[in-house]
Structure formats: structure tokens, C-alpha cells
Amino acid sequence: MSKTTVAAPANIAFVKYWGARDLEKALPMNPSISMTLDHCVTRCTVEILDGGHDEVWLSEPDGGFGSPEPEFTRRIVEQLDRVREWAGRDEPFRVATRNTFPSAAGLASSASGFAALTMAAAGALGRQDASAKDLSQLARRSGSGSASRSVMGGYVEWPDPGAAGGIDDEPSYALQLADAGHWDLRDIIAVVEIGPKIVSSREGHRLAHTSPYYTRRLELLPERLQKVRRAIEERDLDLLGPVLEEESTDLHIIAMSSQPPIFYWSPGTVAVLRAVRELRQEGLSAYATLDAGANVHVICDPDSEDEVAERLEDLPAVGFVIRDGVGEGPEYETTHLF
Ligand code: PMV
């Protein structure tokens, strides 16, 4: 099959990847655990061309496609090179990609984007049957390490490569802890800022080591990881929630205390965090977490979803709310973008 389309979802990290042993290869300093989402998806179509060069198209707000920034194209082409090398092939591709959610707003568009691109390119080369391990490893090598977790659904852990036996390159890939059917959690995303973030997560990883609190965070992680694994296994939101809030605050403390500092939060972020605390005081189990951006993911159970979403929608600082939840992972689709 020469034209292949994949819809790959974003993920929200409960334990965050922040700081790398090797930034080029996206080898993390610490294990991370995430939930793969359902509706926040990147759709990517890849077609093999008879000759010429790779062509990259990015969807535009009017629904058409345009040429992306040269830097974006460069990262895509480099990833296509990795997939070609892995498959032992050398044909050029035409690629088109579209997100169902605001790009580069801290909503993990690079995770879903590179997971979709990697799988669609592998599929176009006839490798739809590639193992999750290979795809996760390939997606990670895009440089967006969290993409390694978006190639599978449900609850996913990307272990520390050191712990898995080597820190040079392989093995470093994600593993599914539980599928989506295991635990129906919802993620209500309060969008307080739309548009690209000012500082990339790549820059955040690079600077993380300069924070005086970074070493302390690494010391605290083993216990948090254990709690999150247990919370997922036992479907215990009140065990998971406090840990995911600590994790989110830690990431931002480290970002804010890096040299130079990075401030991802906006006034809207604080308003949402306050509202989530109030919801809890009223007896609801809802917990907030942020990746490298200002928007807030509120994790809750299905019974609380309506109330959480309505309360967040009512906040003047919130532009809109995306109702998402745990998803089954990427899918090959029969309708193509071009
Ligand atoms: O995958 P990257 O390099 O975009 O880094 C992801 C960083 C966070 O989203 C903040 C945390 C995570 O584990 O997803």
C-alpha cells in the first residue's frame, strides 16, 4: 500500500519526562507514565512518490494545506529518514498532517504528530505490522520523547533506559501498563492560551539540569512512580490525583528555577488551578496537571465530567474546554487527507 493514514492521539503525562541524558536521541533522565487521549488527535497521510524530494504539507485554519516553517519541515524529513533507514528503503514521500486541537499549546501536538508520522510512514512502506516496541523507539528518536508513549493506548510507561539495560540508544521504548478499557478516566482540558508556547519543551529539557531543585525531584520520583503504577492498577483516583498534581507543580518549579527561567503559566492557569481546588473542597475528585504550557488538564472520573467541564467553561480566563479521556491508541484509517 503506498498511501497510508494514521490518527494518533496526544497523551497527558502523570509522571513527567523532564530532562534528558541525551537530548538528540531523546533518552530521558527519568521514567514517565501517561494516559493516551482519545479526541486530541493528529491525522497524518503519507504517500510514496515515484521520484523527487519529500513534500510536507500542514493543514491551515481554512481547512486547506500550506507549506510549514522550514524548521518544521526539517524535523519531519529527518524523521522520514529514520523510518526509511529502519525499513531499508529510500523512496521520497508526500506527507500531510492535521491536528484536531490547537498546535504547540502544550497539548502534546509533537507527541501525537510524530507518532502519527512514524506509523504512517512505516505503513506506507508496507510495515503496518511493525511491533509496538519498534514504533515506540522510532517515534522517540524524532526528538519528541513523549511520542514514544503515543503509539499505544490506555496507560503507558516509558521506563528509564538506564534501568532497562543501557543508556546509549536502545532499548528505550514505552510499554502499555493497562489498556483504555481498564479504567475510564476523563481529561477536561481548560484552554487558557492558544498559539505556540514561547519556549519549547526541548529547551526545557536542556535547561532542567540548571535548576537547584532538579536533583531533589529525581530523588522523589521512585516513590511517585510506584504510587502512580498502583493507582492505575487499583483504579484509585484519590491515590493518583495528589501525585499527578505534585508532578505538575515540580515540573514548573524546575522550569521557573532553570537558568534562564521559563514561565509557562499564565494568569488563566492560576484561575483554573484555584477552581479545581474549590471543586475538591466541594467533594469532587478532580486533579490538575500541566505539561510544558499554560493549559490545564483536569483528570476526573466520568461521573464528575459534566460538573468539572461546566465550572471550567464559566471561568472568564478559559477560552474553551476540550472534553477528552483515555483512548485506545492510534488507528490506521481508510480516508486520506489528500
Ligand atoms: O516529548 P517532549 O520532548 O515534547 O517532552 C514532553 C515534556 C512534557 O510534556 C512536559 C512531559 C511529558 O512527559 O509528556
Side-chain angles (χ1 to χ4, degrees):
M1 195 196 305
S2 70
K3 205 192 260 185
T4 306
T5 298
V6 170
N11 65 76
I12 178 66
F14 293 164
V15 177
K16 315 285 187 186
Y17 156 43
W18 202 241
R21 293 174 202 270
D22 183 329
L23 200 51
E24 288 309 312
K25 293 179 181 161
L27 291 169
M29 281 296 284
N30 65 279
S32 53
I33 298 180
S34 57
M35 175 174 97
T36 301
L37 300 184
D38 198 21
H39 303 310
C40 287
V41 160
T42 300
R43 205 159 261 115
C44 178
T45 298
V46 174
E47 179 182 33
I48 296 181
L49 298 176
D50 286 337
H53 298 288
D54 291 325
E55 276 178 32
V56 180
W57 300 97
L58 181 64
S59 76
E60 297 197 325
D62 66 1
F65 286 93
S67 295
E69 300 280 312
E71 171 61 15
F72 183 94
T73 304
R74 185 187 63 77
R75 287 193 67 192
I76 302 267
V77 170
E78 282 179 7
Q79 183 63 359
L80 294 173
D81 285 341
R82 293 183 193 100
V83 179
R84 279 186 284 252
E85 191 193 339
W86 163 81
R89 300 275 290 268
D90 60 5
E91 296 96 320
F93 292 116
R94 176 175 295 130
V95 174
T97 182
R98 166 175 289 148
N99 288 339
T100 61
F101 58 101
S103 300
L107 297 182
S109 61
S110 61
S112 55
F114 280 110
L117 175 74
T118 303
M119 293 184 67
L125 294 172
R127 300 292 299 274
Q128 279 201 17
D129 59 350
S131 66
K133 173 182 163 182
D134 273 10
L135 292 171
S136 174
Q137 190 130 252
L138 263 176
R140 183 205 96 231
R141 291 182 57 217
S142 66
S144 172
S146 55
S148 68
R149 301 186 310 241
S150 265
V151 303
M152 51 201 95
Y155 300 88
V156 179
E157 175 160 358
W158 174 22
D160 181 349
I167 59 161
D168 287 343
D169 189 0
E170 325 220 355
S172 183
Y173 52 88
L175 302 162
Q176 192 183 55
L177 293 175
D179 64 19
H182 169 75
W183 192 13
D184 184 6
L185 275 186
R186 303 293 158 90
D187 177 6
I188 313 304
I189 309 167
V191 180
V192 295
E193 216 170 79
I194 193 155
K197 54 192 171 214
I198 313 146
V199 184
S200 67
S201 45
R202 188 185 167 83
E203 189 62 1
H205 293 303
R206 196 176 70 76
L207 296 176
H209 309 260
T210 64
S211 162
Y213 307 111
Y214 191 65
T215 327
R216 181 70 189 132
R217 164 177 164 69
L218 295 180
E219 284 165 11
L220 292 168
L221 275 177
E223 197 184 323
R224 283 190 196 153
L225 284 156
Q226 281 303 353
K227 280 191 188 161
V228 169
R229 290 185 199 110
R230 187 152 61 85
I232 291 170
E233 197 182 321
E234 295 172 3
R235 304 182 192 87
D236 185 343
L237 183 53
D238 293 320
L239 175 60
L240 176 69
V243 189
L244 72 81
E245 290 205 338
E246 274 170 37
E247 261 299 283
S248 170
T249 308
D250 251 30
L251 183 154
H252 289 274
I253 285 174
I254 285 162
M256 290 178 200
S257 57
S258 291
Q259 300 290 333
I262 309 169
F263 290 89
Y264 288 114
W265 291 20
S266 72
T269 308
V270 180
V272 175
L273 293 178
R274 196 167 284 166
V276 171
R277 188 156 297 193
E278 279 166 17
L279 282 166
R280 270 213 301 282
Q281 279 160 1
E282 291 163 25
L284 244 75
S285 286
Y287 297 91
T289 182
L290 290 82
D291 278 342
N295 298 322
V296 186
H297 294 247
V298 183
I299 308 297
C300 63
D301 57 29
D303 291 345
S304 314
E305 176 179 341
D306 286 345
E307 191 163 350
V308 170
E310 282 158 22
R311 282 286 277 279
L312 298 181
E313 269 158 5
D314 283 348
L315 295 174
V318 173
F320 59 96
V321 155
I322 301 172
R323 290 181 181 224
D324 211 328
V326 64
E328 307 276 357
E331 277 177 6
Y332 285 95
E333 295 191 332
T334 47
T335 310
H336 305 296
L337 289 178
F338 58 86

